[in-house]
Amino acid sequence: MFSPPLSCQLLKSLAPEENTKCQQGLYFQDGKRRVDYVLTYHIKKTSSSRRHTSRLRDNAFTRTLRRGREPPPPAPKDDAEVGSPHHSMDHHDDDKCLRREEFESNLMEMGLELERDEETKTPGVGFVKIHAPWSILCREAEFMKLKMPTKKVYEVKHSSGVMEKINAFISKLTDPLHPNLEENRTQKVKHLSYPFSREKQHLFDLSDKDSFFDSKTRSSLVFEVLKRTKCTKAKFSMGSKTVLEGIIQHFIFTRCSGITSLLGSGVYLAAYPLHDVSIHHYTAVELFLWILKLLYEEWASYSVFYKYQPIGLIRKYFGEKIGLYFAWLGVYTQMLIPASLVGVIVFLYGCVTVDDDIPSMEICDQRKNITMCPLCDRVCSYWNLSTACGTARASHLFDNPATVFFSIFMALWAAFFMEHWKRRQMRLNYEWDLTGFEDEEDHPRAEYEFRVMQKSLKKDHKSQKKEKLTCRDRFPAYMTNLIMMLLMIGVTFAIVFGVILYRISTKAALAMSSNPMTRSNVRLTVKTTAAIINLVTDLVLLIFDVYFFHICVMVVSSEVPKTDKSFEERLIFKTFILKFVNAFTPIIYIAFFRGRLGGRPGSYLYVFESYRMEECAHGGCLMELCIQLSITMLGKQLIQNNLFEIGVPKLKKLIRYIKSKRGSFQEEEYEKKLQRYETDHFLEPFAGLTPEYMEMIIQFGFVTLFVASFPLAPLFALLNNIIEIRLDAKKFVAELRRPDAARGKDIGIWYNILRGVAKVAVIVNAFVISFTSDFIPRLVYQYMYSPDGSMHSFVNHTLSYFNVSHFQNGTAPLEPFHLGFHVDICRYKDYREPPWSLTPYEISKEFWAVLAARLAFVVVFQNVVMLMSDVVDWIIPDIPKDISLQIYKEKILMMDLFMKEEQGKTRIEDSCKETSTLTRSRSIQSSVSSCRSIIVMTKHFE
């Protein structure tokens, strides 16, 4: 890759008319100093603003004197506008201008170079371009302990012997899947890296200082300066405030007055590094020179969906944290391929064996003529079990012995995935020179120090004067947080309960229809529409996610975490809990609660004394669970999330266009292209990786938690992720401002959440197989109650008897002769004693036998699968052997390098000592000889 000055020279030689395009917003007006960062602020074209603009052009020394000695001129008493909203708004703008002035002066004192541009084609917005000179970059790189490549290179051996030949063969087979980049070729040599030091600059190759620090590194170094630079100008109205409150206010303001605070208070509108070149307006020569072109063609294009991601290039442009996210997403997507294949095989097994399934054949046999009890009160009548033939056959596709194997497979798959990611992460740490990197010491948050100071000052104040307890003191903060979390979870439960009421009432309404086709498809209609309503409620909750997120921020803020890392982890965990409850509550209800709370004929459970609780179809609730999961996976993952990711950024961008009144000069844009920093201003701000991780973790839950009931979930997730990777790539390259490059050696708390979900998935699948499917009842019948060890008469074994004369008053069918004959006994699915027994309708011994088998299966399944997962975790090492050897080799080479350097210094010192000793001896000899000559001459004269 060419450095910017070299690229300008090349453009000048190739296309003279395009010479200025490489400097459109990427450099200062002199065309030499590169723009490393941009700050934007609001401009109000008034006399006041013009006065402050001219003031900002003065030198830093004059501004310092003015701030220290010149108070702001008092407003005249007879001014009619004093106290008016317009005047207060001007006064607020003037205060922002003064704070910008001080902040930019402090930046220049820190060594940064600034250039202002207010004459842009973006009305109402001013731009401050920031350039970091070489000395400042070196200073910040040393402070941040950035590892940079030295002149020393060594040979990299990825494997040896047979493994090397196998890897070469695999690499040759997968060569078409790799992006067309030079960095994807196997590197045989690697530069030895060492934390940058200004005293040891001779270790590094500084022949081209302009390209030594790339654009990503330069912007991250400037951002560190922006975070560290304080703006202490503040106005304190001490009117009704106590001295204690004034001290605390001054402390919290000066402690939080970096660029983040200035952005939050509106002093600056935005702060961002620049993209290297525009995607929408470029020439072929320009794009050849910039890294963004490669990302756009080899990563952000749907035509390369089958290729691996250029992870090294992503890291080089966006930083380590974003590179790790896309690397993790790529590993997860690759691991979904074998899971999808096995899931499809399990589904096909169910399709092939559906005609051999004896229970479904018995249900479909019309000769058995089993009369079932009504599904609802009064309007529903008796029905033949053979009418549930379609549901029973469809349930076998997802409820067969192969699903148990698939559940065990997916539990082991999750363990392999976690181990594979840890090894991949260590390999990336080695390749990206992060092996010795440790997270920087996280300093206490200003709010935490403020709370500590507040408590200490209050204690001193209470010792002098007894204070009344406030409501906050009486009610602990954690109780408030707990109530807020329960309230938000309660909103989700209320929505689920509303959907349940819809299903119950709709089923009763459709059962009263005069259309026989409508009455025969009541269950299917209610299932499908309820799942769609759940999808719609998810859309509504997506809108409320913003408010939920702000509530989570308030909850975490009230806990006052000590460090920023602790604050972020707590916020992520609470947000994940809410998302998890929102996504999985309807599924958990169908899997574990529906059909188990309805009661029995003659003693049903009612909601609002009118609506009977739902029952499962005779084939079980597993089929309804599959419908819910399929609509959620297809609707929420493939359609809803992708549409939101595409539509929301474009909508926000349109709103910013309208607000800035840019639409009035759209035609002018074709005549004269906007500057790079203006174009980036209209892009969507980067909101962090939390939404991206959250979406994938919830999907991971869908893939692992209920996979026993829906083996096609990995396939749906794979299809979604193939689109998701390219969609996210296009968003990062063309729709978002360039994020600040952040360093990190792992994915943080998300790994712990993944492990937690994988552990919970084992328990959930054990309960799904035991209590939701008919796998355990079939085994119990086959080995305990079947006369010939087959599944014949299993359906009759699971059905209990009910005497229709025992119906409660007003609940008997209005049309008892719907089937053409009088019904005395009807059947329902349960293990209960018949009405002619000594204990009618009591739970039978078969129920307890099945329950004991179910609980035993849960215990055995959970412990066996957990043990197998731990064995996988123990067998596979976290660090690949070749990487551990290379890391050890790097340490030895680094030690040799410094030993040679010390030896060189010792030789120089020894030679210097020998030279000084020889010089001293020669001077002594000359002095002695001169003395002798003087003595001889004296004697001669005598």
Side-chain angles (χ1 to χ4, degrees):
M1 182 181 297
F2 296 100
S3 61
L6 182 59
S7 64
C8 291
Q9 296 173 10
L10 181 62
L11 285 174
K12 185 176 181 180
S13 62
L14 294 178
E17 67 277 8
E18 302 288 351
N19 183 27
T20 59
K21 287 196 173 183
C22 68
Q23 300 178 5
Q24 286 192 349
L26 295 176
Y27 297 89
F28 278 17
Q29 291 296 326
D30 56 13
K32 298 179 180 178
R33 292 175 292 175
R34 180 173 183 170
V35 177
D36 297 318
Y37 219 86
V38 173
L39 305 177
T40 67
Y41 57 92
H42 176 68
I43 298 177
K44 188 175 182 181
K45 295 297 183 180
T46 60
S47 58
S48 175
S49 65
R50 284 194 295 269
R51 181 175 65 252
H52 286 299
T53 302
S54 62
R55 185 184 302 171
L56 287 171
R57 291 181 183 140
D58 296 340
N59 57 58
F61 179 73
T62 306
R63 285 198 298 271
T64 305
L65 290 178
R66 184 180 290 112
R67 284 198 307 273
R69 298 179 181 178
E70 281 191 18
K77 294 182 179 180
D78 55 350
D79 191 352
E81 292 186 357
V82 172
S84 64
H86 180 72
H87 178 78
S88 63
M89 184 64 68
D90 289 343
H91 183 72
H92 189 59
D93 291 340
D94 291 346
D95 182 63
K96 288 182 180 180
C97 187
L98 288 173
R99 291 175 66 182
R100 282 198 303 270
E101 179 184 353
E102 182 192 8
F103 182 71
E104 291 166 12
S105 174
N106 293 338
L107 289 180
M108 288 188 287
E109 290 174 2
M110 293 287 288
L112 297 179
E113 298 177 2
L114 277 61
E115 183 177 83
R116 185 183 301 277
D117 186 4
E118 294 185 353
E119 303 298 327
T120 64
K121 298 184 289 299
T122 306
V125 179
F127 297 87
V128 177
K129 295 175 284 186
I130 302 175
H131 170 76
W134 170 254
S135 59
I136 305 303
L137 294 175
C138 294
R139 182 191 69 194
E140 296 301 319
E142 184 174 354
F143 289 168
M144 293 177 64
K145 300 179 181 179
L146 283 182
K147 269 192 170 184
M148 303 300 294
T150 63
K151 299 177 183 178
K152 177 70 175 178
V153 296
Y154 66 96
E155 184 179 359
V156 178
K157 292 184 178 180
H158 295 280
S159 56
S160 60
V162 180
M163 289 302 299
E164 185 176 4
K165 295 180 180 179
I166 294 175
N167 291 335
F169 177 73
I170 295 175
S171 177
K172 188 175 182 180
L173 287 179
T174 59
D175 189 64
L177 302 179
H178 289 280
N180 188 20
L181 302 173
E182 286 296 327
E183 68 169 13
N184 290 322
R185 307 294 181 264
T186 303
Q187 300 292 333
K188 295 184 179 180
V189 295
K190 185 178 184 293
H191 284 269
L192 191 65
S193 296
Y194 183 74
F196 187 82
S197 173
R198 287 174 288 182
E199 295 180 356
K200 298 183 181 297
Q201 292 191 26
H202 59 277
L203 298 177
F204 307 95
D205 184 9
L206 302 180
S207 57
D208 187 2
K209 293 183 178 181
D210 292 323
S211 62
F212 183 73
F213 295 110
D214 57 13
S215 61
K216 176 260 300 182
T217 306
R218 295 175 68 96
S219 63
S220 64
L221 296 176
V222 173
F223 183 64
E224 287 298 318
V225 179
L226 294 176
K227 288 194 302 182
R228 199 169 61 246
T229 303
K230 303 299 179 183
C231 176
T232 57
K233 183 175 287 297
K235 297 180 179 180
F236 301 102
S237 56
M238 297 296 292
S240 60
K241 290 186 174 65
T242 63
V243 176
L244 170 63
E245 292 173 337
I247 293 173
I248 292 175
Q249 182 185 17
H250 178 73
F251 167 78
I252 197 69
F253 182 85
T254 55
R255 181 70 174 80
C256 301
S257 56
I259 184 61
T260 306
S261 176
L262 295 178
L263 289 171
S265 59
V267 176
Y268 288 101
L269 298 178
Y272 51 89
L274 295 181
H275 281 294
D276 281 339
V277 74
S278 175
I279 287 298
H280 303 290
H281 304 91
Y282 57 83
T283 65
V285 179
E286 283 176 334
L287 278 184
F288 177 75
L289 298 175
W290 299 103
I291 191 174
L292 199 61
K293 175 251 185 183
L294 297 176
L295 288 174
Y296 190 75
E297 290 185 352
E298 298 295 333
W299 182 47
S301 175
Y302 291 105
S303 61
V304 293
F305 72 92
Y306 61 92
K307 290 186 176 183
Y308 296 122
Q309 300 180 85
I311 297 299
L313 210 60
I314 297 170
R315 171 253 178 180
K316 189 180 295 184
Y317 190 78
F318 292 109
E320 283 78 10
K321 282 196 173 182
I322 294 178
L324 281 174
Y325 164 71
F326 281 104
W328 173 83
L329 182 57
V331 170
Y332 171 49
T333 304
Q334 292 173 24
M335 290 293 292
L336 283 173
I337 296 175
S340 301
L341 292 176
V342 177
V344 171
I345 292 172
V346 170
F347 177 74
L348 293 178
Y349 171 81
C351 295
V352 171
T353 60
V354 67
D355 292 331
D356 300 328
D357 183 50
I358 295 176
S360 60
M361 290 171 61
E362 290 183 349
I363 293 175
C364 296
D365 190 358
Q366 298 182 1
R367 295 173 299 178
K368 293 187 178 295
N369 197 22
I370 300 177
T371 303
M372 303 296 294
C373 295
L375 296 174
C376 62
D377 294 338
R378 295 177 60 81
V379 294
C380 297
S381 187
Y382 307 104
W383 55 286
N384 285 326
L385 182 59
S386 59
T387 58
C389 176
T391 305
R393 290 173 63 87
S395 296
H396 178 75
L397 302 179
F398 304 97
D399 186 7
N400 54 71
T403 57
V404 180
F405 159 76
F406 190 56
S407 299
I408 299 174
F409 170 81
M410 288 302 296
L412 297 179
W413 172 87
F416 273 106
F417 165 59
M418 305 299 290
E419 293 303 312
H420 179 42
W421 166 244
K422 283 194 292 187
R423 291 170 63 85
R424 173 66 171 157
Q425 186 173 260
M426 285 304 303
R427 191 173 294 277
L428 290 177
N429 285 338
Y430 164 72
E431 293 175 356
W432 295 350
D433 298 322
L434 295 172
T435 50
F437 170 75
E438 295 294 339
D439 290 332
E440 298 177 3
E441 183 181 356
D442 215 352
H443 298 286
R445 298 172 65 242
E447 291 81 358
Y448 176 81
E449 295 182 351
F450 157 69
R451 182 62 60 85
V452 172
M453 177 183 290
Q454 188 182 36
K455 286 184 177 180
S456 61
L457 291 176
K458 278 187 176 182
K459 284 182 181 179
D460 297 338
H461 188 67
K462 284 181 180 179
S463 62
Q464 300 175 3
K465 182 179 179 181
K466 192 174 181 180
E467 227 179 60
K468 291 185 179 180
L469 286 176
T470 62
C471 181
R472 182 173 186 145
D473 295 326
R474 296 192 189 99
F475 205 67
Y478 67 86
M479 288 298 297
T480 306
N481 299 344
L482 180 61
I483 291 174
M484 292 297 294
M485 292 293 293
L486 291 177
L487 179 62
M488 289 185 285
I489 293 174
V491 172
T492 301
F493 284 153
I495 292 175
V496 174
F497 185 69
V499 175
I500 294 171
L501 290 180
Y502 161 80
R503 296 165 69 119
I504 295 173
S505 58
T506 304
K507 185 181 294 183
L510 292 178
M512 292 186 291
S513 175
S514 58
N515 190 345
M517 183 64 69
T518 303
R519 290 199 302 269
S520 61
N521 295 317
V522 167
R523 283 185 175 274
L524 182 61
T525 304
V526 172
K527 293 174 194 174
T528 308
T529 55
I532 294 174
I533 287 177
N534 275 328
L535 188 60
V536 174
T537 56
D538 287 341
L539 287 170
V540 175
L541 288 174
L542 271 178
I543 300 173
F544 284 101
D545 271 351
V546 179
Y547 300 100
F548 282 172
F549 179 77
H550 286 303
I551 293 174
C552 288
V553 172
M554 292 171 54
V555 169
V556 177
S557 299
S558 64
E559 297 174 359
V560 196
K562 185 175 181 180
T563 61
D564 289 328
K565 183 178 180 181
S566 176
F567 181 90
E568 182 182 7
E569 289 181 349
R570 293 189 187 190
L571 179 61
I572 289 173
F573 182 73
K574 287 180 171 58
T575 308
F576 169 75
I577 293 296
L578 291 177
K579 289 271 191 179
F580 185 88
V581 172
N582 174 33
F584 291 100
T585 299
I587 300 173
I588 292 174
Y589 164 73
I590 294 174
F592 301 121
F593 296 99
R594 188 180 173 189
R596 292 170 177 80
L597 306 175
R600 61 168 180 84
S603 181
Y604 286 116
L605 178 65
Y606 290 90
V607 181
F608 300 136
E609 299 182 355
S610 301
Y611 300 106
R612 216 169 83 185
M613 288 297 293
E614 295 181 288
E615 298 179 39
C616 292
H618 183 75
C621 284
L622 203 64
M623 187 61 197
E624 298 181 22
L625 184 60
C626 293
I627 293 175
Q628 179 70 45
L629 282 169
S630 61
I631 292 180
T632 302
M633 292 290 289
L634 283 171
K636 187 177 179 63
Q637 293 285 318
L638 284 176
I639 301 173
Q640 178 178 304
N641 289 342
N642 292 338
L643 283 179
F644 266 77
E645 289 192 21
I646 295 173
V648 171
K650 290 187 178 297
L651 181 62
K652 289 183 178 180
K653 186 177 179 180
L654 178 62
I655 293 174
R656 282 195 298 272
Y657 272 119
I658 296 174
K659 284 185 177 180
S660 65
K661 300 179 182 179
R662 189 180 175 188
S664 59
F665 57 88
Q666 285 290 334
E667 293 80 7
E668 181 184 350
E669 189 175 324
Y670 290 98
E671 299 176 4
K672 188 175 182 181
K673 192 175 74 172
L674 292 176
Q675 298 286 335
R676 177 72 256 176
Y677 48 84
E678 293 180 84
T679 305
D680 285 3
H681 175 72
F682 290 102
L683 297 178
E684 179 71 11
F686 176 63
L689 291 171
T690 298
E692 310 296 337
Y693 274 115
M694 192 72 69
E695 179 185 347
M696 290 296 106
I697 298 296
I698 295 297
Q699 185 201 83
F700 182 78
F702 282 121
V703 169
T704 55
L705 286 174
F706 294 92
V707 75
S709 59
F710 191 54
L712 294 180
L715 177 62
F716 286 179
L718 176 63
L719 296 176
N720 173 80
N721 288 3
I722 290 174
I723 301 174
E724 181 76 22
I725 290 176
R726 306 305 163 181
L727 184 64
D728 284 347
K730 196 174 186 65
K731 181 173 66 174
F732 272 84
V733 170
E735 299 291 339
L736 296 179
R737 292 174 188 161
R738 188 175 183 179
D740 295 306
R743 290 190 298 170
K745 61 187 304 183
D746 52 38
I747 60 176
I749 191 177
W750 297 109
Y751 182 80
N752 297 329
I753 293 176
L754 277 172
R755 288 185 63 88
V757 172
K759 297 294 184 183
V760 172
V762 176
I763 303 173
V764 170
N765 281 299
F767 276 95
V768 168
I769 295 171
S770 287
F771 290 90
T772 307
S773 73
D774 283 338
F775 177 74
I776 299 301
R778 292 185 182 190
L779 286 181
V780 172
Y781 173 78
Q782 185 175 3
Y783 293 104
M784 291 183 63
Y785 298 104
S786 175
D788 56 357
S790 67
M791 294 302 297
H792 289 289
S793 301
F794 169 74
V795 175
N796 185 65
H797 176 76
T798 59
L799 296 177
S800 299
Y801 295 89
F802 177 73
N803 191 333
V804 298
S805 62
H806 296 163
F807 272 122
Q808 293 175 331
N809 293 332
T811 61
L814 296 176
E815 300 179 3
F817 294 95
H818 175 71
L819 296 178
F821 55 87
H822 179 71
V823 178
D824 294 322
I825 299 293
C826 64
R827 311 290 296 274
Y828 62 98
K829 189 174 182 180
D830 205 347
Y831 291 99
R832 292 184 180 271
E833 297 291 341
W836 54 80
S837 67
L838 296 177
T839 56
Y841 307 123
E842 292 295 327
I843 295 174
S844 64
K845 61 180 182 180
E846 288 84 358
F847 172 83
W848 298 111
V850 172
L851 179 61
R854 283 173 166 168
L855 294 177
F857 176 84
V858 169
V859 174
V860 173
F861 182 90
Q862 173 186 340
N863 286 279
V864 169
V865 175
M866 291 276 192
L867 179 61
M868 295 172 68
S869 300
D870 292 339
V871 169
V872 170
D873 192 3
W874 176 69
I875 290 177
I876 301 177
D878 294 345
I879 305 177
K881 186 176 180 180
D882 60 324
I883 296 300
S884 60
L885 292 176
Q886 294 296 337
I887 294 174
Y888 180 72
K889 183 178 180 180
E890 276 194 359
K891 291 181 180 179
I892 295 177
L893 290 174
M894 186 62 67
M895 190 179 299
D896 291 342
L897 181 64
F898 282 108
M899 288 298 294
K900 290 179 180 179
E901 184 181 358
E902 289 298 324
Q903 290 175 1
K905 288 182 179 179
T906 305
R907 289 171 186 167
I908 294 175
E909 291 177 357
D910 292 342
S911 63
C912 290
K913 288 180 181 179
E914 291 177 359
T915 304
S916 61
T917 303
L918 182 62
T919 304
R920 192 182 299 111
S921 62
R922 288 178 178 176
S923 62
I924 292 174
Q925 290 177 1
S926 62
S927 300
V928 171
S929 62
S930 62
C931 290
R932 287 177 178 175
S933 62
I934 292 173
I935 293 173
V936 171
M937 291 177 63
T938 305
K939 289 181 179 181
H940 177 72
F941 283 113
E942 288 177 352

